[in-house]
Amino acid sequence: PRRVPCPRQLEGLCSFLQLSSCPEHLLGRFCSWLLALSPDLSYASAAVLAEQLFLARVLALTQPPSRHLMAALASFCSKYARPFCHVLVAPILREPAAAPEQTKLVCELVEECLEPEHVRLVL
């Protein structure tokens, strides 16, 4: 069986591969590959990936997200909702000066991608 790297190794790998700055049009492909992994990623590994792939991009939004970013966020969120909420949604909701685009994005993702149990987690 394949051995999944621990979160610290995964963080190093993400940094080495510069995933936080990969072009947005590649995010969807990468997320499709992630969603096909078996077994599923651990909570900690999914949280590392959510942070590395999306956090800086979402925090930097000053205009509506690209369709590529939105599709990647939605697909990742659909499978790894808990780490997604913890790493991305919670920091934006806690930020008093969150940009309108960040808030709008979070609202769309919560409305369209999260199951009711995860919406309660967000609230």
Side-chain angles (χ1 to χ4, degrees):
R2 264 190 243 164
R3 186 173 169 269
V4 178
C6 72
R8 177 169 276 149
Q9 291 171 323
L10 188 56
E11 197 171 295
L13 181 61
C14 289
S15 178
F16 176 75
L17 295 174
Q18 299 178 339
L19 289 181
S20 63
S21 60
C22 80
E24 287 186 2
H25 71 277
L26 297 177
L27 282 176
R29 289 184 195 164
F30 188 72
C31 285
S32 294
W33 176 79
L34 284 174
L35 298 178
L37 286 177
S38 183
D40 290 349
L41 296 170
S42 69
Y43 174 91
S45 293
V48 166
L49 285 170
E51 181 179 350
Q52 293 290 317
L53 291 172
F54 302 117
L55 186 60
R57 295 173 202 273
V58 171
L59 292 177
L61 283 177
T62 57
Q63 55 187 354
S66 70
R67 64 182 171 85
H68 297 293
L69 178 57
M70 201 59 196
L73 285 163
S75 67
F76 189 89
C77 176
S78 69
K79 185 160 186 178
Y80 297 108
R82 287 189 76 90
F84 181 85
C85 290
H86 178 78
V87 170
L88 278 161
V89 176
I92 291 169
L93 293 178
R94 284 193 301 258
E95 178 60 45
E101 291 305 328
Q102 295 166 354
T103 305
K104 183 178 176 187
L105 172 71
V106 166
C107 290
E108 282 182 43
L109 290 170
V110 166
E111 184 178 320
E112 295 175 19
C113 302
L114 292 180
E115 297 294 324
E117 68 208 45
H118 293 111
V119 173
R120 285 191 294 277
L121 174 69
V122 168
L123 298 175

